[in-house]
Amino acid sequence: MLAQLSYYLSYSFVRNALIVGVLIALCSSLLGVTLVLKRFSFIGDGLSHVAFGAIAIASVLKMSNRMLIVLPVTVLCAVLLLRAGSRTKIKGDAMMAMLSVGALAFGYLLMNIFSTSSNLSGDVCTTLFGSTSILTLTTTDVILCSALSVIVVLIFIIFYHKIFDVTFDENFARASGTRTNLYNLVIAVTIAVIIVLAMNLVGSLLISALVIFPALSAMRVYKSFFSVTVCSAITSVVCALSGILISIFADTPVGSTIVAVDVLAFALFYAAGALQGRARVPA
Amino acid sequence: MIRNLNFAVNAGNYLCIVGENGSGKSTLVKALLGLLAPMSGYIIFDEDLSRSEIGYLPQQTEIQRDFPASVREVVLSGFQGRMGMRPFYTAAEKKEALEQMERMGILEFAKRCYRDLSGGQQQRVLLARALCATKKLLLLDEPVTGLDPKVTQELYDLIETLHKEGVTIVMISHDVEAAVKYATHILHIGDITFFGSKKDYLNSQPGRRFLAGTKREK
C-alpha cells in the first residue's frame, strides 16, 4: 500500500491535488463557526449556486481562466446579499432563494444552448459535484488556489478577534464602537473567496458541507471559540486528505468522498460529545 | 410610543428607566447606543464621554445560547471598540480582563464555556465585558430578566457596588420596586412621562400609580 502511495505521489497532478486540497480544506473550515452561528449558512449555499452560474458564463465565453469571472461575480453577490440580509431577515432569505435558483437555471440553460462539448451532462456534473477537477488542475490553478488560500488564512488571523466580536454579539460590538459593517463585509467577501476556491475541490453543490461539517463537529466536543476553530481546521484537513487518498485508491469521485468522510467525522464527534456529556452529569 | 422626551444623566447618577411594554424603552436604548438614529432631536454627549464609552449590557441573544466561547474570550471582546484596526490584545488588556473577572467574582470560570454557565453567572460575564469597554457609564437592558430572586438580589448588589465606585448607571427595568430602592433618578415612560429624582418620583402621580399597581399584583 505504501509502495502504491509513493507511486501515486510521483505524479505531479496527485501532489498538486493534495496540496490544493489541504489548503482549501483549511480555509473552508475557518469561517464555519461564524457561518453556522450567524445563520449565514444559507448565504454559503446560495453563493455556490451563483458561482455555478458564473462558471457557465465563463465556459460559454471560452475563457481560459474561469476564476477571472467567477471570483468577482461571487464576491459582488456576497456583498449585495449581506446588504439585503442586514435590513430584514425574510427579505434576505427570499432574495437568496431567487438568486441561487435563478443562477442555477440560467447556468444550465447557457451551458445547454452554447455548449461546444459533446459531453454536456458530464460537464454539468463536474461543475456541480467536482468529480475530477481537482486532479486536472493546471500549474496556474495551483498557484492561484495556493495564493488565495494563504490570503484567506492571513485575513482570518488578522481579523480573528473582530470576527469573534461581531459573531458573538453584534449589538454590543456596534454599541462599543466596533465597525461591524466593515467586518461583516470582510466576512462576506472571505466567504465568497472560500466558495470559489472550494468549487475546485468538491463542486458547487457540496461546498456547504465542506464549510459547515468541520465546525459542527468541533462544536460537539470543544467549548471555546479558539479550540473549536483549531479543531475544525485540523478535522477538515484530515478529512480532505483521507478523502482524496481514498478516492484515488478506490476510484471514487473526489468531492463526494471528502464530504462522506466529513459526515463520518461528524458522527464520531457527535458520539464523543454525547459520551463527554454523560460523563459530566454524575460528577 | 413615547414622543418629546427630554432628560439628562449626570456623571455618578443611577438612572432607572421604567415603563410599560411597548412604551419605547428599547427604542430609546438603541438610540442612546447609536444603533438607531433618533427620529428627530438630539442626543448630546458631554465632552469627556464619547458614544463608544458606554458599556452596554444587552439582553441575551439567540446566538449566544449555542456559541462556543470561553468566559475569557467573551470578557476580552469588551476591548474591541477601543482597538480600531489593531488585530490582537495587549498584555495590559489581558491583565485588565482578569481584574474585571475577579471584580465580578467569575475568575474561577475563566476557561469555562459561556453557554454552560447559569443565567446569573452569564450576566456577570457580560458585566465584566462591559467594564472592559468603559469605566464611566453602564447601560443595562433588563439585566435581571429570567433570574431567580436570590441571584437577582446579588446582581442588584453588584451593580450598586459599581455605582458607589463611581460608575454612572442607566438601567432599563420592569422592576419598579428595585428601581425606587437603588436609583437616584427615575425616567418613567408611559401615558404620563416623568423625569426627576427618586424623591420627586415617589410623590408624583405616575410613580404612585405604578407602585400601587405592583403592590396590588402581589
Side-chain angles (χ1 to χ4, degrees):
Chain A
M1 181 134 162
L2 271 178
Q4 208 179 353
L5 185 64
S6 63
Y7 167 71
Y8 280 127
L9 284 178
S10 65
Y11 289 104
S12 69
F13 73 87
V14 177
R15 286 199 304 269
N16 283 348
L18 285 174
I19 294 169
V20 173
V22 164
L23 283 172
I24 291 174
L26 179 65
C27 292
S28 61
S29 65
L30 291 178
L31 277 173
V33 181
T34 308
L35 236 65
V36 172
L37 291 174
K38 255 182 168 297
R39 311 289 187 264
F40 271 3
S41 334
F42 68 97
I43 290 191
D45 204 42
L47 283 181
S48 59
H49 296 169
V50 169
F52 171 79
I55 282 204
I57 295 173
S59 48
V60 166
L61 294 175
K62 297 199 178 58
M63 292 182 61
S64 56
N65 197 338
R66 293 157 155 199
M67 284 271 214
L68 287 181
I69 186 154
V70 179
L71 194 60
V73 168
T74 316
V75 168
L76 187 72
C77 284
V79 175
L80 287 178
L81 282 172
L82 195 77
R83 281 278 158 81
S86 65
R87 258 175 250 140
T88 57
K89 264 216 169 87
I90 302 158
K91 225 168 153 190
D93 259 12
M95 191 170 151
M96 187 70 255
M98 271 163 48
L99 203 65
S100 69
V101 199
L104 208 56
F106 268 96
Y108 185 55
L109 202 61
L110 281 176
M111 280 178 125
N112 226 320
I113 295 173
F114 298 99
S115 174
T116 46
S117 140
S118 54
N119 181 15
L120 176 71
S121 54
D123 281 357
V124 174
C125 196
T126 305
T127 324
L128 288 179
F129 295 104
S131 46
T132 54
S133 59
I134 187 81
L135 295 174
T136 57
L137 294 171
T138 64
T139 320
T140 330
D141 287 337
V142 174
I143 293 170
L144 199 59
C145 279
S146 312
L148 280 176
S149 307
V150 171
I151 291 173
V152 166
V153 173
L154 283 179
I155 286 181
F156 182 78
I157 293 173
I158 291 171
F159 288 100
Y160 169 81
H161 288 295
K162 318 276 181 207
I163 292 172
F164 173 84
D165 195 28
V166 173
T167 314
F168 182 73
D169 193 340
E170 188 165 342
N171 275 338
F172 174 84
R174 200 135 54 108
S176 58
T178 307
R179 296 163 71 187
T180 50
N181 288 337
L182 175 71
Y183 300 128
N184 277 328
L185 191 71
V186 170
I187 293 174
V189 170
T190 315
I191 290 170
V193 174
I194 288 173
I195 280 164
V196 172
L197 276 176
M199 276 192 84
N200 290 312
L201 189 57
V202 294
S204 64
L205 279 187
L206 297 175
I207 287 172
S208 295
L210 204 62
V211 174
I212 286 164
F213 270 112
L216 285 174
S217 301
M219 278 163 66
R220 289 281 127 206
V221 174
Y222 287 95
K223 302 287 180 197
S224 75
F225 193 62
F226 182 74
S227 54
V228 165
T229 305
V230 172
C231 173
S232 69
I234 293 171
T235 311
S236 182
V237 167
V238 170
C239 288
L241 259 186
S242 38
I244 295 174
L245 289 177
I246 290 171
S247 76
I248 292 174
F249 281 114
D251 197 23
T252 51
V254 183
S256 34
T257 312
I258 294 175
V259 175
V261 177
D262 270 319
V263 175
L264 209 67
F266 176 75
L268 287 177
F269 274 97
Y270 190 91
L275 282 176
Q276 203 184 30
R278 201 174 301 162
R280 205 177 295 144
V281 171
Chain B
M1 194 80 123
I2 180 76
R3 286 165 186 281
N4 302 326
L5 189 61
N6 190 8
F7 70 101
V9 188
N10 293 313
N13 283 172
Y14 188 146
L15 173 73
C16 260
I17 303 177
V18 296
E20 295 85 5
N21 285 334
S23 56
K25 295 189 301 256
S26 303
T27 313
L28 176 62
V29 171
K30 287 193 175 126
L32 284 175
L33 291 167
L35 304 181
L36 277 180
M39 273 156 270
S40 63
Y42 302 96
I43 295 168
I44 301 164
F45 290 91
D46 218 24
E47 271 172 14
D48 55 351
L49 180 78
S50 73
R51 175 166 273 153
S52 63
E53 283 178 300
I54 301 178
Y56 178 37
L57 188 81
Q59 297 187 29
Q60 304 248 348
T61 64
E62 189 81 15
I63 285 183
Q64 290 162 1
R65 283 194 202 111
D66 35 46
F67 201 99
S70 72
V71 167
R72 186 169 170 274
E73 286 174 323
V74 175
V75 174
L76 269 171
S77 71
F79 290 111
Q80 282 295 337
R82 290 198 244 151
M83 284 168 68
M85 294 301 285
R86 175 161 51 87
F88 303 108
Y89 299 114
T90 62
E93 282 168 346
K94 287 177 186 164
K95 186 162 163 273
E96 199 195 323
L98 289 177
E99 285 165 10
Q100 297 297 1
M101 282 188 259
E102 187 161 24
R103 195 173 173 195
M104 292 297 109
I106 48 166
L107 195 54
E108 52 180 317
F109 305 130
K111 291 198 173 132
R112 289 269 300 277
C113 181
Y114 173 80
R115 67 180 163 186
D116 292 344
L117 300 180
S118 71
Q121 289 162 345
Q122 288 183 344
Q123 288 299 53
R124 284 164 184 252
V125 174
L126 296 187
L127 261 182
R129 178 182 66 167
L131 287 167
C132 285
T134 183
K135 305 284 160 285
K136 293 176 183 165
L137 195 158
L138 284 181
L139 204 161
L140 315 166
D141 194 354
E142 309 258 5
V144 299
T145 309
L147 302 182
D148 66 47
K150 182 168 168 282
V151 178
T152 299
Q153 189 53 50
E154 283 169 7
L155 195 66
Y156 278 137
D157 290 343
L158 198 60
I159 296 167
E160 178 63 14
T161 315
L162 290 173
H163 176 229
K164 289 209 175 103
E165 286 168 13
V167 183
T168 309
I169 309 276
V170 176
M171 179 160 82
I172 316 290
S173 182
H174 270 109
D175 188 350
V176 184
E177 275 180 66
V180 188
K181 186 170 168 201
Y182 295 103
T184 59
H185 292 74
I186 305 277
L187 172 63
H188 181 116
I189 309 179
D191 305 332
I192 308 166
T193 303
F194 174 89
F195 171 70
S197 70
K198 175 169 77 178
K199 211 172 99 210
D200 293 343
Y201 180 69
L202 288 175
N203 294 319
S204 74
Q205 202 219 340
R208 270 182 300 186
R209 207 178 57 184
F210 219 59
L211 275 174
T214 51
K215 281 196 182 118
R216 215 178 307 129
E217 276 167 29
K218 292 181 177 171

